[in-house]
Amino acid sequence: MSSPAVGRVLSNPLRPVILAAAKSNAARRLVTGAPPTRRIVDRFVAGTTRADVLSVAARLLGSGRAVSIDHLGENTLDIGQARATVAEYRELLADLGTLGDITPDTFTGTPAVEVSVKPTALGLSLGPDGPKVALDHAREICAAAEDTGAWVSIDAEDHTVTDDTLGIVRDLRADFPDVGAVVQAYLRRTEGDCRELAGPRSRVRLCKGAYDEPVSVAYRDRAEVDASYLRCLRILMAGDGYPMVASHDPTFVTAVDPLAAYAGRGRTGFEHQMLFGIRDGEQHRLATAGRRVRVYVPYGSQWYGYLMRRLAERPSNLRFFLQSLVSRD
C-alpha cells in the first residue's frame, strides 16, 4: 500500500509534468529505454503490428464488445508519412473484413468495428494545404471503411486543431453521414459543439480530454470538468444523434441510464466506450448485462505520447508504471 506521501505525489499536480514529458525527447529516450516499459505498453497498447491488433480485436469482439481501433501517430509533418498512415488504415480495414461474422448481438444493426483517425496523422499540420490534405486522406479511409462495413470517427486532439477537425467532420458527412465526431468536455466550447452535433444520424464520442490546455480555453479543476461532462451528456442524450459515452468514471457510467430513459432511449440508443487495459472487469459487466460497450484499442510503434496521456489521466495508472519500473518480477 502506498504511503500518504506517495498518494500526494501521484495526485493531479503531476498531470502537467507528465504531459510536458510527452513532448520531451529526453524523457522519451528514458521511458522507451527502460526494460520494464514493455509491461506498461502491453497493458494499454494492443501491440506494434497489425497482426497484434487483429488478434486483440477478435478476442474483444468474441467477448461481446465492439472495438474502435487507432493506429497511433500524430503531428505528422511529412506527406510520405501521412500517405503511409492512410495505407495502413486501408490495409487494416481490409484485414478486419476477414475476421468473419462475430458481431455481438447487442450491436446488431450497428457496426461492431470502427477505426479512429487523428487528423494530424493525416497531414493536417502540413502548412496552409494541411486541412485539404487531411480531408482527402480521411475520404480514402472512409471509402475503405464503407466497403468493409465499418465506422470511422475523427479523433480529437489539442484545442488548436479543433475548428479544423470539426470542419473535416462536417465535410465528410456530406458523403459519409455516419462519420463520428469526438469532443472533449474540458474545453469550454464543447457544450456549444454538442448542440451543433446532436442532430439526426450524428455520432458523437464524449470524453473528458487528455491534453494540457490553458485555462483560457479549458476547465482545469476536476469538479468543473465533471460538471461540464454531465451538461454535455445531457445535451447529447436529449438530441437526435447517437451518443458514445467515453468514460471509466463510475459517476458517469451510472448517470447514463436515467438520462437515456428520460430521453426515451433504449439500451441500443447509445454506447459506452472505454480504453483498452482500463476497467476490463467493468467492460465485461456492462457487456454481459446487454449494454453496448466499445473498446478503444490503440496499436503501433508511436505509442509514447499515448502512454504518457494515459498516465496523466489517472494516478493509479502512474502508480502501476512506477511500481513496474522498480519491480524485478
Side-chain angles (χ1 to χ4, degrees):
M1 176 177 290
S2 300
S3 68
V6 171
R8 287 194 294 272
V9 169
L10 298 174
S11 63
N12 284 343
L14 273 186
R15 177 182 169 88
V17 177
I18 299 170
L19 291 176
K23 302 177 182 179
S24 167
N25 289 331
R28 180 189 299 266
R29 288 191 295 270
L30 176 64
V31 172
T32 58
T37 298
R38 183 72 260 163
R39 282 179 289 172
I40 310 301
V41 177
D42 289 343
R43 173 175 176 173
F44 298 113
V45 179
T48 58
T49 70
R50 200 179 323 129
D52 292 333
V53 78
L54 288 169
S55 175
V56 170
R59 174 172 58 81
L60 291 169
L61 290 166
S63 74
R65 290 170 283 181
V67 295
S68 183
I69 301 177
D70 176 14
H71 178 243
L72 292 171
E74 55 192 277
N75 299 322
T76 297
L77 299 176
D78 177 80
I79 186 64
Q81 181 58 48
R83 289 299 306 161
T85 297
V86 175
E88 177 65 22
Y89 272 106
R90 294 183 64 168
E91 292 174 9
L92 169 66
L93 285 160
D95 287 344
L96 286 167
T98 69
L99 290 181
D101 185 15
I102 49 179
T103 301
D105 290 341
T106 53
F107 279 82
T108 300
T110 300
V113 173
E114 177 191 72
V115 294
S116 289
V117 185
K118 286 184 170 58
T120 66
L122 301 183
L124 181 60
S125 303
L126 291 172
D129 292 333
K132 183 180 184 305
V133 170
L135 174 60
D136 289 344
H137 286 163
R139 286 188 191 280
E140 288 189 52
I141 294 171
C142 288
E146 189 172 65
D147 290 342
T148 303
W151 268 342
V152 176
S153 281
I154 305 301
D155 231 334
E157 300 180 74
D158 71 70
H159 81 279
T160 63
V161 297
T162 301
D163 282 335
D164 284 333
T165 297
L166 294 181
I168 288 171
V169 170
R170 285 191 293 270
D171 289 342
L172 288 172
R173 283 181 172 173
D175 297 313
F176 307 99
D178 292 318
V179 166
V182 182
V183 295
Q184 302 176 101
Y186 71 169
L187 293 181
R188 298 178 185 273
R189 61 174 288 166
T190 299
E191 281 183 73
D193 291 333
C194 285
R195 291 189 180 93
E196 292 182 11
L197 291 165
R201 290 194 70 175
S202 177
R203 295 191 307 114
V204 183
R205 178 193 300 159
L206 176 64
C207 57
K208 286 189 178 181
Y211 294 84
D212 189 21
E213 303 284 20
V215 69
S216 58
V217 301
Y219 300 110
R220 304 277 295 193
D221 179 76
R222 178 176 176 177
E224 289 182 315
V225 175
D226 287 355
S228 176
Y229 193 100
L230 190 57
R231 292 193 300 269
C232 292
L233 184 58
R234 287 194 182 106
I235 292 168
L236 295 176
M237 284 292 180
D240 297 318
Y242 181 74
M244 301 179 288
V245 187
S247 177
H248 310 90
D249 190 327
T251 299
F252 300 119
V253 172
T254 302
V256 169
D257 281 354
L259 288 177
Y262 185 78
R265 293 179 181 272
R267 289 188 175 183
T268 60
F270 65 93
E271 66 183 49
H272 294 276
Q273 293 194 355
M274 296 187 182
L275 297 171
F276 176 68
I278 298 181
R279 299 202 74 195
D280 189 70
E282 178 67 356
Q283 295 175 24
H284 273 289
R285 185 189 72 79
L286 290 168
T288 300
R291 308 305 177 91
R292 287 181 167 178
V293 179
R294 191 178 303 271
V295 185
Y296 186 92
V297 185
Y299 80 104
S301 60
Q302 303 300 310
W303 50 261
Y304 175 75
Y306 176 84
L307 172 65
M308 298 305 284
R309 288 193 292 274
R310 298 293 77 78
L311 298 182
E313 282 176 343
R314 293 168 56 135
S316 61
N317 293 345
L318 180 57
R319 185 178 299 113
F320 177 84
F321 177 61
L322 294 178
Q323 286 172 345
S324 294
L325 287 178
V326 299
S327 173
R328 296 185 178 180
D329 297 331

